[in-house]
Amino acid sequence: DRTQSTAFKKKDDDQGKKARTGKTTAVNMAAANPLYYTDRPDPRLETLSAHSAIPVHVNRVMEIDEGFLACLGAERYPGYLGTDFGLFGRPALLYRGQTQRLVEQLATNAEAAPQRATVLDGKGGTGKSAELLKLASVAASLGHIVVYAPSTVRWVNSSRPYAPEAGDSGLFVQLELALEQLRTMNGMCRDALAKVPLGRSAAVGKRRLAAESTLADLIDIGLQTPALSHDVLDLLLDVASTQTAVPVLVAVDEVNALWSDSMYRDQGDVVLPARRLRLIRALLPFFEGERSLARGWVLGAISRVDVRFMPKDLKLRLDPPPAVPLANPDLAKDPSIVRQPTDLPFDTIGVERLSAAEAWALMRFYHETSIIASPVTEALVAKKWVVASGNPRELFASVTSFA
Amino acid sequence: MLAGGHGRRAAVAAANGLGRARYATKASSSPFDVLDIRPVQRPDTAAYFMAKPKYADLLAGITSIVQQHGAAPAGEKGTSKKGARWINQENMAKKLDVKLTANEYMVLRERLNQANSADIEDATERDTVQLYLNQFRMGYQHVEVVKLAGSAGQSGADSGAASTSGVSDVTAANGATKEADKKKKKTHSHHGNMDELGRWFGGGRRKTAHAYAWLTPVEQPALTMESVSAAVDRVAESVNQALREAGLRPATSNEEPTAEAAAAVDESSLVPESVPFGEVLVNGRPLVEYFARRTDRESVVFPFQVANRLGKFYAFLKVRGGGPTGQAEACQLAVARALSAATDRSGRQAIKTAGLLITDGRAVERKKTGKPKARKSYTWVKR
């Protein structure tokens, strides 16, 4: 057949090690050295749920529910957890003593909601995002309504489309993100949403919902009509915050982005503050004390990874400089000299570094998943802990680095 | 005139109610007697008007001893007795309550050596001079040897001996206290010593960085019956939980665990009750915050690793000067010095064998004239 060119015929690579684009590995596993290429270890881990979140399981590595994570999507894992889960081969996190305390607080607040929101604060890499993820999965398994935003920086870093809202409100809408949030809620707590009636007839766009309609019906409208996603989300939050049938957990990671300046610009090329985004505006009142839940908990987590979205005022309030008393009595009485205010509209819980027992459990898990080849001894754990000063992120980095 | 003067002075003194004995001594024959303006007290020493009268008097006194008994001039072999060590310049200045320059201290020490090596024939005088010089010796503590009242009969016979040997008793007692001092730990901050707060101290340098380290051992939890039983209960509960999860019957207190139960227990469920690890703070900040590079952090904790004492000490480090690597290496030396005193013989030996007690004297080489840097030369141009 002279119509077919022989110059560009692909060679048969059944026995060779040529890699095809992105689909197969470069190593022929049949001929690979069994000493080096071993099967990925598969330690038996318990799934974190309402039944397994008990004090006996403290300092154990547990797996996050796959169904819960499927609602998020792999590209929306908070922080660096996506990379970590890929290395472990499974979405596993350590169930710490602090996690147990947060779970107990969640159960307490499910009956009597506090007036102020709570924010997890701590140094970078201590596990704030991981704690929020664990708590959201436990709340979902408990049958709560979970409003979980794993990354708020994505809402303000101009990575998603935005548009000015119709009318003169001055706000900007992000329909894609709002739709994504509705899909997440629908996947996580559909059953819980179906238990909560609207309580009053409501109009969403051209659709009208009866008082007996549930939040699940409301979300369906939003999923079917993306243009109404913001209205649906606002109405859903309004109804969920006032009802007492089902507890609600509002969990927002990277909550500092709510007060920052976004990377969007308005029509006058002026930088948009985050509060002019409608999606941010839906959640911000919960953290400023203007709205509260009738039953449930509003929980956030600070992120110090991206300093662009950490407002200076918030940073000074979270880490205030030492208030040295003025030696000059005249200056001390001068009312024009104003100290940095340290009051916050929310309560803070400090996420601490790893304890020795937690470090042991983590190092044993790393050994079981073949991240550490050498046996886990007290000297190894002590060295890794001291060099990392108990910081989980630094400890993991020292274990996985080649230095 | 004089007679009139005396009479007038006496009359004035009488009128003022002053006694006659104030001025009128036959020894005083100053022209100021007439004017009655001579000061009441005279300086008791000729060095009163000098800049450092105490130092001058001391030097004069020791020099008089040397001149009286004739010592060998300084610099000759054998001038200072073997073992004669004098207090250092700082302590001497404190003792005399005056600032001493290095030259003044050197001169004083030279005279002390000469006085110490003076050939005094009279034993009593020799003891007196030695007793006088003892106050300038390093490590001297004055001890009074006192005879008890109960041994009066015996003391009557011994009193003569005691009076002559009182000085030797004191000397012997001083010698005994010196030995006790050597065994006693020093309380001031010194390399490898424990201070009054129970911290082991060490200092180190590298390039232009200076570091100081204070180590405190981590307290091991006391094993009490309550803590042991609580730990046993915790382990038993975790074992039972693992058995329930594996679908097996939990063991009761009277039963022995079966082979199935033992196999079902996951090792991760038996995490031991660990003692907290000792943290390392550098200039008040955690180690991970102060040193960004992992190699710098590991070099700081390397002495602990070598001595197998990782996590057993809280370390507070103070470091100044230099860059990050210089500071890390200085911290390493400081920690090694403190740890070598805080650990046992095996730890000390390990630290010494690893070469961690050796100061690395390498520093940036100076720039030379005619060259842009220490070794680099300017580009050679043929024409």
Side-chain angles (χ1 to χ4, degrees):
Chain A
D1 185 5
R2 294 171 67 86
T3 59
Q4 297 292 330
S5 169
T6 57
F8 301 104
K9 186 177 178 185
K10 282 188 180 177
K11 293 180 185 175
D12 189 9
D13 56 354
D14 284 341
Q15 296 174 359
K17 294 185 180 178
K18 188 186 295 182
R20 297 204 186 94
T21 308
K23 296 296 180 184
T24 58
T25 61
V27 177
N28 184 7
M29 294 306 295
N33 188 339
L35 282 177
Y36 294 116
Y37 295 97
T38 57
D39 293 332
R40 185 196 289 270
D42 187 21
R44 188 166 58 90
L45 295 177
E46 191 162 347
T47 303
L48 180 63
S49 64
H51 304 289
S52 58
I54 50 179
V56 172
H57 290 162
V58 168
N59 295 339
R60 266 197 181 185
V61 177
M62 304 178 83
E63 199 171 328
I64 306 297
D65 184 29
E66 286 185 1
F68 177 84
L69 290 176
C71 303
L72 284 180
E75 68 277 3
R76 290 180 63 207
Y77 288 168
Y80 300 105
L81 291 180
T83 314
D84 298 351
F85 293 162
L87 198 59
F88 300 152
R90 56 182 54 204
L93 290 172
L94 180 67
Y95 190 73
R96 300 169 66 176
Q98 183 136 42
T99 316
Q100 177 61 32
R101 288 194 293 274
L102 288 173
V103 167
E104 288 166 2
Q105 187 68 31
L106 178 71
T108 307
N109 292 344
E111 301 305 322
Q115 288 300 313
R116 283 157 60 101
T118 309
V119 169
L120 302 177
D121 189 21
K123 297 193 190 296
T126 45
K128 302 179 287 292
S129 299
E131 294 295 322
L132 206 65
L133 179 65
K134 282 180 269 182
L135 210 60
S137 72
V138 169
S141 71
L142 280 170
H144 294 192
I145 295 174
V146 179
V147 182
Y148 179 48
S151 172
T152 318
V153 167
R154 289 170 66 248
W155 298 358
V156 297
N157 65 355
S158 73
S159 61
R160 291 292 184 270
Y162 76 123
E165 192 180 30
D168 295 330
S169 62
L171 299 179
F172 287 77
V173 295
Q174 294 159 297
L175 297 174
E176 184 183 325
L177 288 173
L179 187 63
E180 191 180 69
Q181 194 62 34
L182 290 177
R183 278 205 199 103
T184 304
M185 287 181 63
N186 189 45
M188 279 182 188
C189 48
R190 173 83 186 185
D191 296 336
L193 291 168
K195 293 179 188 173
V196 178
L198 288 179
R200 61 179 191 275
S201 61
V204 180
K206 294 180 182 175
R207 303 276 294 271
R208 191 148 193 95
L209 288 163
E212 297 79 23
S213 304
T214 64
L215 292 180
D217 301 328
L218 180 64
I219 272 198
D220 287 339
I221 293 175
L223 294 175
Q224 291 162 11
T225 316
L228 299 175
S229 52
H230 273 293
D231 295 331
V232 165
L233 186 63
D234 291 342
L235 182 57
L236 189 147
L237 286 173
D238 187 37
V239 173
S241 61
T242 53
Q243 57 83 29
T244 56
V246 178
V248 179
L249 174 66
V250 176
V252 179
D253 202 352
E254 300 172 342
V255 73
N256 44 288
L258 300 183
W259 288 278
S260 68
D261 284 336
S262 72
M263 295 183 74
Y264 295 111
R265 287 177 178 267
D266 64 5
Q267 298 90 330
D269 199 28
V270 175
V271 170
L272 276 181
R275 56 180 62 241
R276 283 184 65 183
L277 297 169
R278 203 169 155 186
L279 192 55
I280 299 284
R281 212 177 181 87
L283 294 173
L284 189 58
F286 289 102
F287 290 95
E288 288 190 327
E290 294 169 4
R291 286 179 77 176
S292 61
L293 297 175
R295 196 178 164 199
W297 201 11
V298 179
L299 188 63
I302 296 285
S303 171
R304 295 175 191 271
V305 173
D306 200 335
V307 296
R308 296 177 297 174
F309 303 106
M310 172 61 87
K312 188 177 178 183
D313 181 56
L314 179 64
K315 187 169 185 283
L316 287 173
R317 285 171 191 262
L318 288 171
D319 303 321
V324 179
L326 294 170
N328 190 336
D330 295 330
L331 287 176
K333 290 177 195 171
D334 189 354
S336 63
I337 293 178
V338 178
R339 295 269 188 174
Q340 168 66 35
T342 57
D343 55 320
L344 289 163
F346 46 79
D347 299 326
T348 55
I349 293 179
V351 177
E352 298 158 356
R353 61 187 179 201
L354 290 175
S355 66
E358 289 168 352
W360 271 98
L362 215 55
M363 294 292 283
R364 284 204 174 99
F365 175 70
Y366 293 156
H367 180 64
E368 285 173 6
T369 51
S370 297
I371 294 173
I372 303 176
S374 55
V376 177
T377 58
E378 188 180 358
L380 178 66
V381 178
K383 183 186 172 187
K384 294 299 179 187
W385 190 96
V386 171
V387 167
S389 296
N391 188 298
R393 176 59 47 195
E394 283 294 334
L395 193 140
F396 180 67
S398 72
V399 159
T400 53
S401 69
F402 289 104
Chain B
M1 187 64 178
L2 280 174
H6 277 297
R8 187 169 67 246
R9 190 171 73 245
V12 168
N16 292 337
L18 300 172
R20 180 182 173 276
R22 195 167 170 197
Y23 307 120
T25 57
K26 284 197 178 173
S28 60
S29 56
S30 167
F32 294 107
D33 287 345
V34 177
L35 299 177
D36 290 337
I37 60 174
R38 187 174 55 193
V40 174
Q41 290 182 348
R42 283 178 179 165
D44 53 354
T45 170
Y48 179 81
F49 295 102
M50 294 180 74
K52 298 175 186 176
K54 280 188 183 174
Y55 170 76
D57 279 342
L58 175 65
L59 202 61
I62 299 175
T63 307
S64 67
I65 295 174
V66 172
Q67 287 173 348
Q68 188 179 351
H69 299 288
E76 287 193 7
K77 208 172 178 182
T79 51
S80 60
K81 275 188 182 173
K82 193 176 180 181
R85 293 178 67 195
W86 310 108
I87 55 179
N88 59 14
Q89 181 178 345
E90 187 183 343
N91 289 337
M92 189 74 79
K94 278 183 194 170
K95 195 177 179 60
L96 300 177
D97 196 22
V98 69
K99 276 188 181 175
L100 283 179
T101 64
N103 195 41
E104 287 169 347
Y105 175 72
M106 195 176 66
V107 168
L108 180 61
R109 201 174 61 183
E110 200 178 293
R111 297 294 163 83
L112 285 170
N113 283 334
Q114 289 176 358
N116 192 42
S117 60
D119 190 14
I120 306 171
E121 291 177 357
D122 189 11
T124 308
E125 196 169 344
R126 183 171 58 242
D127 289 340
T128 307
V129 168
Q130 287 298 319
L131 194 63
Y132 175 73
L133 295 177
N134 277 345
Q135 63 180 314
F136 302 109
R137 292 188 201 277
M138 186 183 285
Y140 168 76
Q141 274 190 346
H142 181 71
V143 175
E144 292 283 344
V145 179
V146 179
K147 292 283 184 187
L148 295 177
S151 57
Q154 199 172 6
S155 67
D158 295 337
S159 60
S163 62
T164 54
S165 67
V167 172
S168 60
D169 284 342
V170 170
T171 308
N174 288 341
T177 53
K178 277 185 195 173
E179 290 298 322
D181 284 342
K182 279 182 187 173
K183 291 177 188 174
K184 184 181 164 187
K185 290 188 179 73
K186 294 177 189 174
T187 55
H188 60 276
S189 291
H190 221 261
H191 290 318
N193 283 294
M194 182 186 276
D195 62 7
E196 62 276 7
L197 297 176
R199 305 173 299 184
W200 297 97
F201 172 79
R205 286 196 297 180
R206 177 81 168 97
K207 293 184 188 177
T208 53
H210 297 73
Y212 305 101
W214 288 267
L215 303 184
T216 307
V218 174
E219 281 186 12
Q220 304 292 325
L223 279 178
T224 60
M225 285 305 297
E226 289 75 20
S227 65
V228 169
S229 61
V232 166
D233 290 341
R234 236 183 336 262
V235 170
E237 177 56 35
S238 63
V239 167
N240 287 338
Q241 181 68 21
L243 291 173
R244 282 188 217 106
E245 290 162 7
L248 299 171
R249 189 164 55 93
T252 59
S253 58
N254 295 329
E255 293 180 359
E256 290 293 326
T258 61
E260 289 173 350
V265 169
D266 187 10
E267 190 187 18
S268 64
S269 66
L270 298 177
V271 175
E273 195 68 23
S274 300
V275 180
F277 295 128
E279 193 180 1
V280 177
L281 291 180
V282 184
N283 286 351
R285 293 159 61 185
L287 183 66
V288 71
E289 281 184 31
Y290 194 83
F291 290 114
R293 287 177 58 189
R294 200 171 300 120
T295 50
D296 291 338
R297 284 181 245 147
E298 290 192 356
S299 65
V300 171
V301 303
F302 186 57
F304 292 114
Q305 185 178 353
V306 160
N308 200 19
R309 296 289 190 276
L310 273 164
K312 299 283 195 311
F313 287 88
Y314 292 106
F316 183 83
L317 303 171
K318 205 164 109 173
V319 61
R320 292 283 184 274
T325 303
Q327 289 191 344
E329 300 280 331
C331 289
Q332 184 189 74
L333 180 58
V335 166
R337 282 181 172 162
L339 194 60
S340 65
T343 56
D344 55 2
R345 191 186 177 88
S346 64
R348 261 198 304 276
Q349 192 61 38
I351 291 172
K352 194 170 181 183
T353 308
L356 292 171
L357 296 177
I358 301 169
T359 304
D360 192 340
R362 293 178 295 170
V364 175
E365 194 174 325
R366 61 154 285 194
K367 179 199 176 302
K368 281 87 178 185
T369 56
K371 288 181 181 291
K373 291 174 66 177
R375 300 281 178 105
K376 183 182 180 180
S377 293
Y378 292 112
T379 306
W380 178 76
V381 178
K382 197 172 183 180
R383 292 185 183 84

